[in-house]
Amino acid sequence: MSRQDTAPGASAAIGAALYGLATRAVRRLPRDMSLTSAATLATLDRTGPRRITDLAVVEGVTQPAMTAVVRVMEESGLVERRGDASDKRVTLVCLTEAGASYVRRRRQAGVHAFERLIGELTGDEVEALVAALPALKHLAELENQDREGPKQ
C-alpha cells in the first residue's frame, strides 16, 4: 500500500498513538536523573564520543547548560572528557563503563515495561505489532538521523 492509499487522518492517528505511548513511557522512567542527562547518555551510547557543543544542539539546550550537565555526570562517573586524537584543541565527552551500564539498565527497564503491556494484548494485536516492527524501526532511524545530525 502506498502512502497515498492510506486513509485520511491515518498519519495523525498513528502519530497520536505513538506520542501517547512515548509520553507514558517517559513518565514511568526512574527519576534518578534529569531527562536531559538521561537523553545525553543515550545519545553518547548511540553515537559515540561527542563535543559538548554537538550534545547541546542534539539535546536542545544551551552550551552552558550542557557543560553543567556533563560536569554533574562526570562527577558521578558516568562520562569522562578525552582529547580528540585528530584535533588536540577538541575535548570529547565519552561514556564510561558505568554510564554504558546505566543506559543498558534503563533501556532494559523500558523494554520490560512494554513487554508486560504487550502480554495483555490479544494474539491478533501482538501479530499486528510484529507486522509493524519494520515501519517502527524505520521511524526510529529517521528520528535519530533528524535529531542527531552527523557524527563527529
Side-chain angles (χ1 to χ4, degrees):
M1 175 168 39
S2 72
R3 186 160 186 339
Q4 292 81 13
D5 294 337
T6 57
S11 292
I14 294 166
L18 291 173
Y19 182 79
L21 275 173
T23 55
R24 285 182 197 95
V26 167
R27 285 187 196 124
R28 290 175 177 248
L29 291 174
R31 300 285 187 214
D32 55 343
M33 73 170 51
S34 73
L35 291 176
T36 302
S37 295
T40 300
L41 290 174
T43 295
L44 291 169
D45 185 57
R46 278 190 311 275
T47 67
R50 303 285 292 251
R51 295 178 183 200
I52 286 180
T53 53
D54 294 338
L55 288 170
V57 169
V58 168
E59 303 308 334
V61 299
T62 64
Q63 184 174 343
M66 182 54 67
T67 300
V69 165
V70 167
R71 186 178 331 105
V72 169
M73 291 191 302
E74 191 173 25
E75 289 168 1
S76 299
L78 300 172
V79 300
E80 63 186 7
R81 298 178 204 220
R82 292 186 190 155
D84 185 347
S86 65
D87 185 344
K88 300 295 183 195
R89 300 168 296 172
V90 174
T91 299
L92 299 174
V93 178
C94 310
L95 271 184
T96 62
E97 183 50 44
S101 178
Y102 178 85
V103 171
R104 286 191 299 272
R105 284 191 314 273
R106 192 169 173 116
R107 189 173 290 136
Q108 196 57 46
V111 169
H112 286 312
F114 277 110
E115 283 178 330
R116 285 190 298 277
L117 291 173
I118 292 166
E120 296 180 28
L121 298 177
T122 67
D124 287 345
E125 289 170 327
V126 173
E127 285 181 28
L129 288 175
V130 169
L133 273 174
L136 292 171
K137 288 178 180 179
H138 188 214
L139 275 174
E141 291 168 3
L142 292 172
E143 193 279 334
N144 281 339
Q145 289 170 4
D146 184 50
R147 185 171 179 264
E148 293 169 0
K151 186 177 172 184
Q152 290 296 315

